[in-house]
Each structure stands twice: as structure tokens, then as C-alpha cells.
Amino acid sequence: MERFLVDGFKPQQLSTFALTLYKYTATVDGKTILVDFWDTAGQERFQSMHASYYHKAHACIMVFDVQRKVTYKNLSNWYKELREFRPQIPCIVVANKIDADVKATQKSFNFPRKLNLPLYFVSAADGTNVVKLFSDAIKLAVAYKRNSEDFMDEVLKELENFELETKEEDSPAEETSQGEPVCLSPGNG
Amino acid sequence: MSYVAQKCGVQLQPPSIVLIYEDRSKNNVRKRIMPIRNFSKFSDCSRAAEQLKNNPRHKTYLEGVSLEQLKRLHHLLRCHLQGQTLSQSLKQVEQKEIIDPEEDLNKLNDEELGQRKRIMDELFEKNRKRKDDPDFIYNVEVEFPQDKELEACEWDTETDDEF
Ligand SMILES: Nc1nc2c(ncn2[C@@H]2O[C@H](COP(=O)(O)OP(=O)(O)OP(=O)(O)O)[C@@H](O)[C@H]2O)c(=O)[nH]1
Ligand SMILES: [Mg+2]
């Protein structure tokens, strides 16, 4: 996260939620958007917080450590949990620490392949593919949000028509949410 | 203390820890060779290092040498006994394979997790490119195609249909 933001980062620590929040302004298709990155903790004692991690997320980045098998094996549990809360959001898998083991980049990994999830080979240390990862995640989040909003608009229109036909009342106002929370699942496994 | 450690290293044959120290009372520099006995490629390096540090004959000389360094030196000896080349051994010791790749760090408490992270931080810092390095590039993109014929990751083999 910090490698992507380099110096423009002033994270907000929410220790009760084991969460670090980073705000970022991105430009996608000429439009300025506000992105919230949620860097979540992996330790098991924060299990009860997980529901709030996924809440309103528009994309998810799941990281494993190419030097530690257990982090890769744990991905399937994180993924199952993610899908309980957010069945549709884009999810990216990251193989991190390739600076420590370049050979990992020459291997094929079943987990992302079978689930058809994009896999990025990254080094947070030397910076390989960090910027690409986050820019792509933002694009995916924006596209997802746009599509789900289009969908919501249609649902609302249907509702309006329905209401006009039945009663003559104001259509409900939609709550506007700010930013694109991007949920970062931790690499400790 | 009249013995001041200056350098501490290993001698592979016979396996020994070598200490260069200054003897303040005599005002000279001396070398002490401490043979490591009953040490095999299966030995526990942490325990062997502790035993040496507490050895009544050596402990006054080793006061200025950290247990961590003694562990590292024992690791070097063990790598040698396992038939590794010196450069392989050094690389392994540098990465301090004390990090057990099977251990789930999410199950540890803060202190234990912090300790593991400090070990991993060393390599991170070593490989880290900083913003003020002259060759720093913000966006480093490297393509690693996943579609071509690749060797299957050995982590997948046993539990292929798990996902
Ligand atoms: N060599 C190397 N080390 C890394 C890299 N990224 C992280 N590390 C190290 O790996 C350890 C764990 O990294 P963290 O970023 O704390 O992992 P995390 O998944 O956020 O962990 P939690 O938030 O505790 O769940 C640290 O010691 C880092 O220094 C990398 O790209 N290369
Ligand atoms: Mg973290």
C-alpha cells in the first residue's frame, strides 16, 4: 500500500477494527474519484471484524507470500468468506515477495486459475507491479460500482413505475456512498 | 570485563567457533578456537548456541557475542555438514530459515508475530528500493505470462481439487 502511495500517504489507524485506512484520489476515464483502501489485519483474533471489512467493498485484493505455503493454502478460506459477503465484486490474487524468490513467477498456481481470478506477481520491496496492481484494482472497482449502480437505477425506475401505477408517492432517495472501498486481505494467511 | 570480543566466525574443519578478542588486562589480541562437539546436520542450532554461550570454559569470552550471532554461525556449520556450498549456506543464514514456511502467523499473538516480522523485515529492507534511490522508478511493470506452459506449483499437487 505504502509503495503505491509513496509519500502521499497519511493512513488512519483504526485499531479497534484492526484496520488501516488510506485515502487516495484517482483519475479514471477523465473523472476524479475518491478511493478508500482498507488494509485489514489477518490475525485470527480479529475474526469478528471480518463482516465490516467486506461491507460495501467494490473490489478485493488477496495477497499471499510466495515463500510461505500456508498463506497460499489459506486463500481458499478467505475467498469463501469474501463470497459470503460480496458474491460479485472483482477479486485479484497477488503473489507477493517475488524479490525473494523469482522462480515463483515461472509456476502456475491452481487457486486463481480454477476460479478464473487475475494473478499478479508483485514485490512490495522492489516495487515490481505494485502500481499496476492498484491501478487495475481501482479500474475494476469503478467498473463494478458503475454496473451495480446502473442496475440499481433500473431497479429504482421499475420501482418508480410500479409506485406511480399504484400509489402516488415520492420515490425513495438513494443513499450516496463516497469513494470506492477496496478491501485488502492480508498476506499472513 | 577484560575480554572484549572483536570478531567471531566459524572454522569448518573441525567444526569450531573462532573468536578474536582483546585481552585488556594483558593488552593483547588473541584468538580462541572453541570446538563444537556432538554437532551433526540434525542438531538444533539454537540449543547448541545456548550451550556454547553458557559453557563455563567459554562464557566469559563470549559475553560480547550475541546469541543471535552464535545461532547464525551454528547454522553455517550445519549447512556445511548438510553438504551445501559456502555461498548457499550464507544465503540461507542471511534469510535465517528460522521462519517456518508452514507456520500460520495469523494464529500467533502480537509479540510472536512481531518477532517473525522483524526477521522477514531484514530481507525486505535489503531488497527495498526507496524513493530517494537514484535508480528508483515509480511504476515498475514486468509481465509474467501465466498462459504458456508452466511448471505446476508444488503447493498444488496434493490437494488439487480443494478449491
Ligand atoms: N522480501 C520481501 N519482504 C516483504 C515483502 N512484502 C512484505 N514483506 C515482509 O513480510 C512481512 C509481512 O508483511 P506485512 O505487510 O506485515 O504482512 P500483512 O499481510 O500485512 O500482515 P498482517 O497485516 O499482520 O496480517 C514483513 O516482515 C515485511 O517486511 C516483499 O515484497 N519482499
Ligand atoms: Mg498488514
Side-chain angles (χ1 to χ4, degrees):
Chain A
M1 201 62 254
E2 289 171 11
R3 177 56 180 76
F4 173 65
L5 303 172
V6 194
D7 43 15
F9 73 87
K10 289 178 208 75
Q12 196 184 344
Q13 295 275 359
L14 303 175
S15 42
T16 37
F17 298 97
L19 195 67
T20 311
L21 236 147
Y22 300 82
K23 289 201 179 293
Y24 177 73
T25 312
T27 313
V28 178
D29 301 333
K31 268 193 228 149
T32 305
I33 53 155
L34 199 70
V35 185
D36 286 338
F37 289 107
W38 292 25
D39 182 8
T40 60
Q43 271 174 291
E44 276 186 358
R45 63 195 180 93
F46 300 117
Q47 180 73 38
S48 61
M49 299 288 121
H50 290 184
S52 59
Y53 293 166
Y54 301 111
H55 185 65
K56 284 194 176 174
H58 293 103
C60 174
I61 299 173
M62 296 204 307
V63 185
F64 73 96
D65 176 344
V66 297
Q67 290 203 301
R68 289 187 300 125
K69 175 178 173 179
V70 64
T71 66
Y72 177 70
K73 287 295 178 187
N74 277 343
L75 287 177
S76 59
N77 292 329
W78 285 104
Y79 188 74
K80 257 182 239 148
E81 193 184 77
L82 165 73
R83 287 311 179 211
E84 280 167 30
F85 292 97
R86 302 296 277 161
Q88 299 291 337
I89 64 170
C91 177
I92 295 178
V93 177
V94 170
N96 185 36
K97 280 200 198 176
I98 59 165
D99 58 279
D101 182 10
V102 248
K103 289 192 305 272
T105 62
Q106 299 304 311
K107 290 176 185 161
S108 79
F109 290 86
N110 256 341
F111 173 78
R113 215 192 43 220
K114 288 207 167 159
L115 292 163
N116 211 4
L117 302 173
L119 173 67
Y120 285 65
F121 288 101
V122 166
S123 165
D126 68 24
T128 306
N129 292 331
V130 170
V131 175
K132 179 159 178 51
L133 164 68
F134 284 107
S135 327
D136 290 357
I138 293 170
K139 279 182 212 143
L140 288 172
V142 170
Y144 170 80
K145 197 180 179 209
R146 202 169 285 155
N147 285 339
S148 55
E149 271 169 5
D150 289 351
F151 176 72
M152 274 311 289
D153 284 350
E154 271 169 38
V155 174
L156 286 177
K157 246 183 264 159
E158 297 270 324
L159 282 175
E160 273 169 44
N161 292 339
F162 182 72
E163 284 181 354
L164 282 175
E165 280 166 25
T166 52
K167 295 174 251 156
E168 297 221 341
E169 263 181 30
D170 282 349
S171 66
E174 207 211 337
E175 209 184 305
T176 48
S177 72
Q178 215 200 6
E180 310 279 335
V182 174
C183 159
L184 288 163
S185 275
N188 277 339
Chain B
M1 182 42 54
S2 62
Y3 304 130
V4 181
Q6 291 186 335
K7 275 185 200 161
C8 192
V10 285
Q11 176 183 297
L12 299 176
Q13 217 31 268
S16 320
I17 303 281
V18 184
L19 177 75
I20 310 284
Y21 66 95
E22 191 189 331
D23 186 341
R24 286 266 162 96
S25 61
K26 301 203 182 94
N27 205 14
N28 60 9
V29 172
R30 302 191 49 119
K31 176 157 116 182
R32 184 178 181 85
I33 297 178
M34 295 161 276
I36 308 299
R37 297 180 219 281
N38 302 322
F39 188 74
S40 79
K41 61 179 171 185
F42 304 113
S43 293
D44 177 336
C45 295
S46 304
R47 268 202 32 216
E50 275 163 33
Q51 274 166 11
L52 181 70
K53 198 155 165 65
N54 297 324
N55 182 307
R57 284 178 45 228
H58 302 310
K59 68 193 235 190
T60 41
Y61 297 89
L62 288 171
E63 260 167 37
V65 182
S66 72
L67 189 59
E68 275 306 306
Q69 175 158 13
L70 290 176
K71 281 186 200 171
R72 275 200 291 271
L73 294 172
H74 280 80
H75 273 287
L76 268 184
L77 285 174
R78 194 175 69 179
C79 290
H80 172 71
L81 292 171
Q82 288 167 344
Q84 300 195 41
T85 66
L86 189 62
S87 71
Q88 280 174 325
S89 311
L90 283 170
K91 197 174 160 208
Q92 241 199 54
V93 169
E94 198 176 90
Q95 291 196 4
K96 288 208 250 139
E97 83 287 62
I98 302 162
I99 292 286
D100 171 2
E102 307 271 339
E103 181 178 51
D104 189 339
L105 305 187
N106 284 332
K107 293 195 183 349
L108 303 181
N109 64 33
D110 289 351
E111 195 192 319
E112 295 164 328
L113 175 64
Q115 190 242 338
R116 308 296 192 281
K117 283 199 186 184
R118 268 193 299 281
I119 295 172
M120 293 189 287
D121 279 348
E122 281 179 31
L123 187 66
F124 177 79
E125 290 301 332
K126 199 178 135 229
N127 291 349
R128 183 166 175 193
K129 281 251 172 299
R130 290 160 187 284
K131 186 180 66 160
D132 26 59
D133 286 349
D135 56 345
F136 178 83
I137 302 167
Y138 175 59
N139 185 4
V140 188
E141 277 187 36
V142 185
E143 269 194 61
F144 301 105
Q146 272 280 296
D147 40 21
K148 58 174 194 201
E149 293 278 301
L150 293 174
E151 177 199 340
C153 172
E154 63 277 17
W155 293 345
D156 282 322
T157 45
E158 327 102 64
T159 48
D160 229 356
D161 45 5
E162 194 181 274
F163 307 127

